């Protein structure tokens, strides 16, 4: 198909993503929970634009991927850095959120360039703090979900109690399948109103991502699950 597809994402790809991620989140995800983007980098931009107004503050652990700061600067969002030790200390994190009146907390697991893979107890500690706030939303960048080894497990922040509707999780087809030139990313969010707004922003930027690539990506996901690709990926990274 060489025509436009839905701004939210091609229905065939969305259907495949629903089947793949619903059991991982223990949720009956629908098309309204997804938004496909031109790479996860666009997802960073549209997520920040959806959740913040100019002048708002967001928090992130540094060092980090520079695209966060580039997107925040272009949107006039104050992106404040903090050390990993602050994120993992409930009192320090709570104080930082209150001090800055942050609207967004950006997580990255597995983290680049830190290489940090957050454990479920660590994420649960962060979720406790988020649950104690009223206006904070989490952007969970999980583009390296498949690049794990040493017996570690990728834990999904949005799967924690109370976090499904307060999180936008970002993923990258290019990172997962080593084809970054395809420029395909996707976001999953529990709050359908938020995801609708994000999709509307996408539609004003590029209307939709290329239909043929989305169709191909859906087929790749289906074959990958049948052929055990995701297990192989971890084993291959371990050997490296």
């Amino acid at each position: 198909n060489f025509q436009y597809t839905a701004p939210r994402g091609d229905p065939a790809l969305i259907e495949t993503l629903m089947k793949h991620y619903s059991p991982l989140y223990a949720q009956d995800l629908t098309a309204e929970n997804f938004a496909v983007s031109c790479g996860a980098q666009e997802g960073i931009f549209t997520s920040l634009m959806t959740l913040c107004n100019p002048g708002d503050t967001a928090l992130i652990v540094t060092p980090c991927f520079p695209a966060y700061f580039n997107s925040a600067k272009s949107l006039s969002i104050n992106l404040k850095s903090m050390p990993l030790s602050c994120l993992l200390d409930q009192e320090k994190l709570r104080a930082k959120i209150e001090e800055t009146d942050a609207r967004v907390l950006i997580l990255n697991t597995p983290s680049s360039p830190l290489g940090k893979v957050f454990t479920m107890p660590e994420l649960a500690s962060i979720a406790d703090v988020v649950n104690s706030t009223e206006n904070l939303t989490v952007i969970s960048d999980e583009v390296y979900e498949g690049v794990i080894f040493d017996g570690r497990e990728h834990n999904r922040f949005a799967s924690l109690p109370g976090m499904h509707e307060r999180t936008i999780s970002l993923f990258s087809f290019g990172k997962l399948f080593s084809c970054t030139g395809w420029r395909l990313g996707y976001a999953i969010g529990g709050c359908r109103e938020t995801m609708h707004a994000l999709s509307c922003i996408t539609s004003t930027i590029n209307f939709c991502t290329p239909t043929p690539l989305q169709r191909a990506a859906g087929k790749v996901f289906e074959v990958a699950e049948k052929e055990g690709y995701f297990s192989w990926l971890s084993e291959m990274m371990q050997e490296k």
Side-chain angles (χ1 to χ4, degrees):
N1 191 319
F2 298 104
Q3 306 305 316
Y4 294 124
T5 189
R8 182 183 297 278
D10 186 75
L13 174 58
I14 295 294
E15 182 70 24
T16 299
L17 294 176
M18 285 165 50
K19 292 177 181 177
H20 179 78
Y21 285 98
S22 286
L24 297 177
Y25 286 100
Q27 298 280 347
D28 292 324
L29 299 174
T30 71
E32 293 177 303
N33 297 119
F34 291 86
V36 178
S37 58
C38 288
Q41 186 160 333
E42 183 187 56
I44 293 171
F45 182 89
T46 53
S47 294
L48 285 171
M49 191 173 185
T50 300
L51 298 172
C52 297
N53 291 317
D56 282 346
T57 296
L59 298 175
I60 191 170
V61 169
T62 53
C64 67
F65 183 45
Y68 297 113
F69 283 95
N70 295 338
S71 292
K73 183 177 181 180
S74 67
L75 294 168
S76 297
I77 296 168
N78 300 313
L79 185 54
K80 303 288 187 181
S81 64
M82 59 181 177
L84 181 61
S85 58
C86 179
L87 182 65
L88 298 178
D89 184 305
Q90 284 191 335
E91 294 309 313
K92 290 181 179 180
L93 177 58
R94 186 176 287 108
K96 189 72 171 179
I97 293 169
E98 293 176 354
E99 170 196 335
T100 59
D101 192 27
R103 296 298 303 274
V104 168
L105 172 64
I106 301 174
L107 300 178
N108 180 207
T109 182
S111 174
S112 173
L114 293 175
K116 168 69 176 172
V117 178
F118 286 82
T119 65
M120 190 57 83
E122 288 172 337
L123 294 179
S125 175
I126 298 168
D128 286 343
V129 176
V130 176
N131 271 323
S132 70
T133 69
E134 294 184 2
N135 300 314
L136 188 71
T137 302
V138 173
I139 297 175
S140 184
D141 181 345
E142 303 177 24
V143 298
Y144 292 104
E145 59 174 329
V147 188
I148 50 175
F149 40 91
D150 287 344
R152 295 180 180 273
E153 180 180 357
H154 174 57
N155 298 297
R156 302 172 189 277
F157 186 77
S159 68
L160 288 161
M163 292 299 101
H164 178 58
E165 294 195 348
R166 299 188 65 172
T167 305
I168 297 177
S169 302
L170 301 179
F171 301 92
S172 168
F173 183 84
K175 293 289 196 305
L176 191 57
F177 293 101
S178 302
C179 55
T180 53
W182 281 36
R183 307 308 301 137
L184 274 180
Y186 46 98
I188 303 175
C191 179
R192 296 180 180 182
E193 291 80 6
T194 299
M195 297 307 292
H196 174 71
L198 193 155
S199 295
C200 288
I201 293 172
T202 298
S203 71
T204 65
I205 296 173
N206 48 269
F207 187 74
C208 68
T209 55
T211 305
L213 292 181
Q214 290 194 63
R215 294 282 175 89
K219 293 296 184 182
V220 169
F221 252 105
E222 293 173 2
V223 173
E225 292 194 317
K226 291 178 182 178
E227 299 294 328
Y229 169 82
F230 301 110
S231 297
W232 170 85
L233 181 60
S234 292
E235 294 170 0
M236 182 269 290
M237 294 303 299
Q238 181 72 60
E239 291 179 1
K240 284 190 174 182

